[in-house]
Amino acid sequence: MSLFQQWAFIVKEALDKSFLVAKFFCGVHVANTYLCSTALVQGPSMLPTFSLTNELVLLERISTRNGKAGTGDVVILQSPENPRKFVTKRIIGMEGDKITYVLDPKNSDSTETVIVPKGHVWVQGDNIYNSYDSRNFGPVPYGLLQGKVFWRIWPTSAFGSIGRRPETVDPALKVRYIFNVYRRA
Amino acid sequence: MSLFQQWAFIVKEALDKSFLVAKFFCGVHVANTYLCSTALVQGPSMLPTFSLTNELVLLERISARNGKAGTGDVVILQSPENPRKFVTKRIIGMEGDKITYIMDPKNSDSTETVIVPKGHVWVQGDNIYNSYDSRNFGPVPYGLLQGKVFWRIWPTSAFGSIGRRPETVDPALKVLEQANQS
């Protein structure tokens, strides 16, 4: 074979492999966008449900797309103040609900009441002492919700589902506690 | 070949073809979401830029995703009041801009002034007499913008780009006028 033919053969092989990789990534991307995706969450605003350091969670996209995400769900949403920032918070109220919240629990006990407008949700972090949420940026349009967090996959010591109520005990301790209870029994 | 082997062969062929179609649709979908997409627009709120009846437009996704969509652009966005509804409006102001707008031009001349908060945009329809926009549902978070409309492909009599200013003459008439002149 001439030099050109060999080169053309290599290029064709490379293109074929690249197309295969591209098709694979398209498929993964569509699954991530419409079915289920992973996300890294960090920060103090969802203590003790999520610890300060990185945690890997699974989020499903079907609930938020179909309008089925509701009160108590932990969701990932685009921040209304910065569209490139994604935050993890819990939905406290849906449209029409009357929310009474403590504005600044570190400094005072004053509360405010608000009715969530149509098409919006009210989100708060589980750690209201250190959370920048709807108490600061107001109710969030439902369209900004990206997905509902339903499972934690890392750290493995706290592997398990994310419930509709804030955790009262560090989830990592909870798993060890249940294990010890079973061992003693 | 036995009956089972023939049947297995047909099923395998069907699966291969289905995978081909699925891969094609995945590719089209990724292009639609990240590059360029089409949309059907209708309604009276963007007259005379868009007529009442269905018009097919091209929208590009790169500007909205990168934060490059600005004042004067026609954009498609999710309505803040109904996440399943997509509306087409023009951006009148970005975050920090002071907007003076007429609340209800059909009934009075009273105006209001507002400063667009951080991370939000102010959108209005070109036809302010018949448009449900930021004057009603307030400033829209930038994250709700889906794409920027830049080209109209149907009806062909008004084929062409969508500019940064509202049209003052029906685009279809404008094309006819230019054709008659030359």
Side-chain angles (χ1 to χ4, degrees), chain A residues 23 26-27 29-30 34 66-67 78 80-84 118-120 141-144, chain B residues 23 26-27 29-30 34 66-67 78 80-84 118-120 141-144:
Chain A
K23 280 181 283 194
C26 277
H29 170 79
V30 168
Y34 289 97
N66 289 343
Q78 266 175 306
E81 296 193 338
N82 184 354
R84 303 203 203 191
K118 184 174 182 303
H120 289 64
Y142 198 95
L144 289 180
Chain B
K23 280 180 284 193
C26 277
H29 170 79
V30 169
Y34 290 98
N66 287 343
Q78 268 176 305
E81 297 196 337
N82 183 355
R84 302 203 204 192
K118 185 175 181 304
H120 289 65
Y142 198 95
L144 289 180

Side-chain angles (χ1 to χ4, degrees), chain B residues 40-54:
Chain B
L40 220 51
V41 299
Q42 58 166 356
S45 65
M46 287 292 288
L47 284 165
T49 311
F50 294 127
S51 69
L52 277 161
T53 52
N54 281 345

Side-chain angles (χ1 to χ4, degrees), chain B residues 28-94:
Chain B
V28 169
H29 170 79
V30 169
N32 270 358
T33 315
Y34 290 98
L35 291 176
C36 182
S37 177
T38 55
L40 220 51
V41 299
Q42 58 166 356
S45 65
M46 287 292 288
L47 284 165
T49 311
F50 294 127
S51 69
L52 277 161
T53 52
N54 281 345
E55 299 213 348
L56 197 62
V57 296
L58 278 179
L59 65 147
E60 55 98 350
R61 305 274 193 169
I62 307 171
S63 306
R65 205 170 273 276
N66 287 343
K68 297 283 189 306
T71 308
D73 291 333
V74 177
V75 291
I76 290 189
L77 55 132
Q78 268 176 305
S79 163
E81 297 196 337
N82 183 355
R84 302 203 204 192
K85 191 165 98 162
F86 292 88
V87 296
T88 314
K89 299 280 178 265
R90 193 180 295 268
I91 296 180
I92 303 297
M94 306 292 292

Side-chain angles (χ1 to χ4, degrees), chain A residues 4-24:
Chain A
F4 174 73
Q5 277 179 317
Q6 283 174 325
W7 180 80
F9 180 71
I10 290 172
V11 167
K12 186 180 174 307
E13 278 249 14
L15 277 177
D16 281 345
K17 291 288 181 274
S18 322
F19 271 132
L20 195 67
V21 172
K23 280 181 283 194
F24 173 72

